[in-house]
Amino acid sequence: MIYLRRIVQLLFLALFLFLMLYPEPAKNVIPANLFFISNPLLVITTIIASRTLQLAFLASGLIIIASIFLGRVFCGWACPLGTTMDLFHRLKKPRKPDIQPILPPLRRVKYFVLLTIIIAAIFGANIAGWLDPITIAFKSFALSLYPAVDYILKGLFNKVGLKSFISPLNDIGILDTHSILFHNSIIFFLILTVILLLTFYQTRFWCRNLCPLGALLTLLSKWRILNLSTGRHLCTKCQRCQSSCKTGVFNSDFSLNDEECIQCFSCVKECSKTGISIGFSKDKSVRISILPSRRGLLVASGLAVLSAPLLKRSFGLRLGQSLPRLRPPGVSRSEGEFLSKCQRCGECMKACPTNGLQPLLAESGLYAMFSPVLVPRIGNCRYYCNACGQVCPSHAIPDMDLADKQEWKIGRAYFDTTRCIPYVNKEHCLTCEEFCPVPEKAIEHYVKDGLEYPYVVKERCIGCGLCEKVCPVQGLAAIRVSPPKDAEL
Amino acid sequence: MKDINRRQFLQSLSILGIGAVASGYLPIHGQDKPEDKKPDEKKPDSKLVLAVVEGKKPAEITIEALAILGGISKFVRKDSVVVLKPNIAWEKPMELAATTNPEVVLAIARECFKAGAKKVKVVERACNNPKKCFQICGFENAFNKSGVEFVHLTDDHKEYKEVKIPDGKELKSILIAKDVLECDTFINIPIAKHHGLAKLTLGIKNLMGITGGKRNELHHLLGQKMADILSVIKPHLTIIDAYRVLVRNGPTGGNPKDVAFVGKVIASTDIVAADSYACTLKPFSLEGKNISCVKAAYDSGLGEMDLSKIDIIEKKI
């Protein structure tokens, strides 16, 4: 059974990586955002925070039903972050079995994390994406590790002249010619590193103590039918179950916290008398619940209630009036509405073929952290592309037809005539006009004394940012895109 | 057991490493070839010939134009490497006439193979994402299983070689794609279309797609700079695709209203002559001297701009 579990785990991790690396996510038969639309935590918080329902959210029903009947099987068998932790833990030198500290107070933290997320959602703040294990895994793999591996492999193969080795991968869009990078993405790597290193202190430290999705699934599995039985009449008190358990289900007095069980079957394999089994009958072992006390919940709720306004008002910026950003095409013009739907999962950033979509850090307030923003100097919004909308799990970026997307005004380009080459150097340039992808060019020029001076035709500009990207002026471009005023839409 | 494993691992790692580094010095790209590959400057025996063929099928008129010039075997020797340089710079479907018609390019590639070419490469440094251009412009479909190799040039300096321009007036040196410098025959296949800065982009301007470095710096005094580049890398043959031409909002286009149907292909060994003729096409109604690239190339003595001095053979199928 334990081998079956490992195979299933690896298959799910492979599926996760496959969906992540698939070059044109929209053309994949399996939805690229499968792990997100089937994630009950993200789905519930998005429904609460944005007050909208979507058909795709039904996919999360599978995990909810599985958890109600079978307990935290998702954690033990499918979660890509959990599998990564298990794999990483194998690096640890095998020592004599050690009994890991159980620490019930620490284990309650995950319920408070969940509570804070739900209460923030009630106040319209969707912050699940910061702490949800799937988004953590996706961002650290797709936005941090993948660019690093890409960089190493390309450097390695290009430098030593073995380009032909990676060109087949190039052809399917992996390790493509242009380099990808994401602002501050080392943060995602550090988060993953901390989570993985903590497994040396306790196996699955994250899952035991912090994971809000784990907390939610535990609560759902209150009346599960799959149970752990210890067969006490056979027990020799060898404590192997205690040292093998990934989530600390067995207490030293042989009572069980089996609501934490992730059905990993390690104890079943380790038990010297094979007295432990996982099945549909419930034995008479002493069971201890480590749900938080009522008082703890009340105090935490009180604090959590504060968290949403604190976040939303962080940096003194008011939602909707905070520093306007260039958001992906089609998103709500109201910053607040967009952020209530955005799960900060990073799918759009990975899907963006020009690498122009970047994660915000705190530039727009802490509340907007990890939401996507278009940085034209790095990459424009491609005229023939609507990939971000196709992969967005919560439709914070709507799935628009290409024709509609091509008319959507992300922003508007403005010339900086104190930097623009014809205006300043009196030299010919017009690179921006050449590249402008709009059929009826949004950049035109007039000729004075034999020199062409470009200007923007504001009605036609869609703010794709290609002009800003290709502007030959070093550093700050001489044409830059700003979010549009309401009057210009 | 464990120690041996580690040692074996380190051994194999170092062997791999040495092998990988060593292979980097092997002349995989043929850098060591002697550098006498300047395009032949042989003038045709008789008067300069310009072929203009009109018709309904792009491939047909292309082949006919080549036939008028004496057939492709005049330019392509057996077992030689041919480089084709169409315009595949923009992510626009071919119907919008921002990029060279793939059927024209395919017809030429097939003729090259017929003449015994060992390898036919299509070389382009695109302005948009090169692979998307390749798909959207219709090349992926047309060239499926054709045996033609596509070289998508990037910003990587290793793909280019610096070439000195001894007679350059504005440029003293330029990065040019190694693939082009090392080929036996270089065929330039631009599309005739409008361009904001250059007015029209034709054969000479199309050479920008084989240059490396920061190309937008060429925009200042574009005509003379392109003429300087032409002085060191002259295509053996220039075939201008004027099947559909873009009249406004070039070089990217995008509006079907801006596309005019001309149904012609213009071919010549003289790039300036071909460009000069293309300026006079109906939808443009210009002259060679109006276009800075053509004018500068003529003034630098790189070709004939005066159409009266050219033997223009027109044919309609």
Side-chain angles (χ1 to χ4, degrees), chain B residues 102-254:
Chain B
E103 289 178 53
V104 171
V105 186
L106 183 63
I108 297 167
R110 288 205 171 126
E111 290 293 296
C112 292
F113 279 127
K114 263 191 219 160
K118 183 173 67 183
K119 203 175 221 180
V120 178
K121 292 186 199 174
V122 171
V123 177
E124 168 71 313
R125 183 177 173 198
C127 296
N128 297 151
N129 181 317
K131 288 201 177 121
K132 296 287 172 205
C133 293
F134 174 58
Q135 286 168 5
I136 293 174
C137 301
F139 280 82
E140 188 177 57
N141 281 338
F143 280 77
N144 192 15
K145 287 181 191 157
S146 62
V148 175
E149 185 190 330
F150 276 78
V151 180
H152 302 296
L153 295 173
T154 65
D155 298 347
D156 189 351
H157 276 245
K158 287 194 286 298
E159 293 169 12
Y160 307 90
K161 192 168 178 241
E162 189 165 354
V163 177
K164 294 263 173 302
I165 307 177
D167 307 327
K169 287 179 187 150
E170 287 297 328
L171 287 177
K172 289 295 163 204
S173 75
I174 184 78
L175 291 172
I176 291 183
K178 284 176 182 166
D179 291 284
V180 178
L181 291 172
E182 287 159 9
C183 74
D184 299 305
T185 308
F186 173 36
I187 303 177
N188 187 23
I189 320 173
I191 180 168
K193 61 174 172 173
H194 170 257
H195 187 284
L197 185 63
K199 283 189 188 158
L200 288 183
T201 156
L202 302 159
I204 301 168
K205 171 80 174 54
N206 194 41
L207 295 178
M208 207 183 238
I210 57 165
T211 63
K214 290 199 131 198
R215 291 186 298 185
N216 43 30
E217 286 170 3
L218 298 175
H219 275 195
H220 182 54
L221 305 176
L222 178 78
Q224 188 54 50
K225 283 179 180 165
M226 288 316 300
D228 289 349
I229 294 170
L230 179 64
S231 72
V232 290
I233 183 88
K234 250 183 163 175
H236 298 85
L237 196 57
T238 297
I239 299 161
I240 300 179
D241 162 27
Y243 186 70
R244 296 189 193 91
V245 302
L246 184 63
V247 194
R248 277 175 303 277
N249 288 312
T252 51

Side-chain angles (χ1 to χ4, degrees), chain A residues 65 178 274 277 286 289 302 393 419:
Chain A
I65 291 167
H178 72 285
T274 59
S277 59
V286 180
S289 174
R419 298 177 69 80

Side-chain angles (χ1 to χ4, degrees), chain A residues 103-137:
Chain A
L103 300 174
L106 193 56
R107 318 189 88 178
R108 294 198 184 108
V109 172
K110 62 177 176 289
Y111 296 106
F112 298 128
V113 172
L114 176 66
L115 192 71
T116 310
I117 288 173
I118 300 282
I119 289 178
I122 292 170
F123 283 88
N126 191 352
I127 58 170
W130 295 348
L131 293 160
D132 172 77
I134 310 288
T135 54
I136 287 177

Side-chain angles (χ1 to χ4, degrees), chain B:
Chain B
M1 186 67 189
K2 216 171 185 187
D3 280 342
I4 293 170
N5 271 340
R6 191 171 298 165
R7 177 175 296 172
Q8 281 175 340
F9 171 71
L10 286 175
Q11 274 175 350
S12 46
L13 193 71
S14 54
I15 290 170
L16 263 178
I18 291 167
V21 171
S23 63
Y25 292 99
L26 294 176
I28 289 173
H29 300 300
Q31 293 103 322
D32 298 351
K33 269 191 193 170
E35 210 205 302
D36 56 353
K37 281 284 149 58
K38 262 195 159 181
D40 308 335
E41 306 245 349
K42 264 189 277 170
K43 290 259 153 36
D45 307 328
S46 57
K47 218 179 162 191
L48 178 58
V49 176
L50 181 87
V52 182
V53 183
E54 192 177 349
K56 289 271 173 280
K57 286 187 182 151
E60 227 170 59
I61 53 176
T62 309
I63 292 167
E64 187 58 35
L66 287 172
I68 293 174
L69 293 182
I72 194 100
S73 49
K74 245 176 104 179
F75 309 95
V76 177
R77 272 169 290 141
K78 214 167 174 349
D79 291 331
S80 59
V81 178
V82 183
V83 162
L84 310 181
K85 167 62 184 80
N87 183 331
I88 328 178
W90 307 100
E91 292 171 3
K92 299 278 173 185
M94 60 169 157
E95 291 76 16
L96 296 172
T99 52
T100 307
N101 194 317
E103 289 178 53
V104 171
V105 186
L106 183 63
I108 297 167
R110 288 205 171 126
E111 290 293 296
C112 292
F113 279 127
K114 263 191 219 160
K118 183 173 67 183
K119 203 175 221 180
V120 178
K121 292 186 199 174
V122 171
V123 177
E124 168 71 313
R125 183 177 173 198
C127 296
N128 297 151
N129 181 317
K131 288 201 177 121
K132 296 287 172 205
C133 293
F134 174 58
Q135 286 168 5
I136 293 174
C137 301
F139 280 82
E140 188 177 57
N141 281 338
F143 280 77
N144 192 15
K145 287 181 191 157
S146 62
V148 175
E149 185 190 330
F150 276 78
V151 180
H152 302 296
L153 295 173
T154 65
D155 298 347
D156 189 351
H157 276 245
K158 287 194 286 298
E159 293 169 12
Y160 307 90
K161 192 168 178 241
E162 189 165 354
V163 177
K164 294 263 173 302
I165 307 177
D167 307 327
K169 287 179 187 150
E170 287 297 328
L171 287 177
K172 289 295 163 204
S173 75
I174 184 78
L175 291 172
I176 291 183
K178 284 176 182 166
D179 291 284
V180 178
L181 291 172
E182 287 159 9
C183 74
D184 299 305
T185 308
F186 173 36
I187 303 177
N188 187 23
I189 320 173
I191 180 168
K193 61 174 172 173
H194 170 257
H195 187 284
L197 185 63
K199 283 189 188 158
L200 288 183
T201 156
L202 302 159
I204 301 168
K205 171 80 174 54
N206 194 41
L207 295 178
M208 207 183 238
I210 57 165
T211 63
K214 290 199 131 198
R215 291 186 298 185
N216 43 30
E217 286 170 3
L218 298 175
H219 275 195
H220 182 54
L221 305 176
L222 178 78
Q224 188 54 50
K225 283 179 180 165
M226 288 316 300
D228 289 349
I229 294 170
L230 179 64
S231 72
V232 290
I233 183 88
K234 250 183 163 175
H236 298 85
L237 196 57
T238 297
I239 299 161
I240 300 179
D241 162 27
Y243 186 70
R244 296 189 193 91
V245 302
L246 184 63
V247 194
R248 277 175 303 277
N249 288 312
T252 51
N255 191 344
K257 275 187 234 158
D258 296 339
V259 178
F261 182 82
V262 174
K264 281 183 184 169
V265 157
I266 301 149
S268 175
T269 50
D270 185 333
I271 187 170
V272 185
D275 279 10
S276 180
Y277 180 89
C279 300
T280 63
L281 289 172
K282 197 78 182 283
F284 305 133
S285 302
L286 290 163
E287 280 181 63
K289 62 173 192 258
N290 302 131
I291 309 299
S292 63
C293 290
V294 184
K295 178 88 170 42
Y298 174 70
D299 290 344
S300 304
L302 298 166
E304 186 54 72
M305 187 173 79
D306 188 350
L307 294 178
S308 63
K309 290 182 184 159
I310 306 169
D311 189 7
I312 300 171
I313 302 173
E314 287 183 300
K315 197 170 176 185
K316 201 165 178 179
I317 8 183

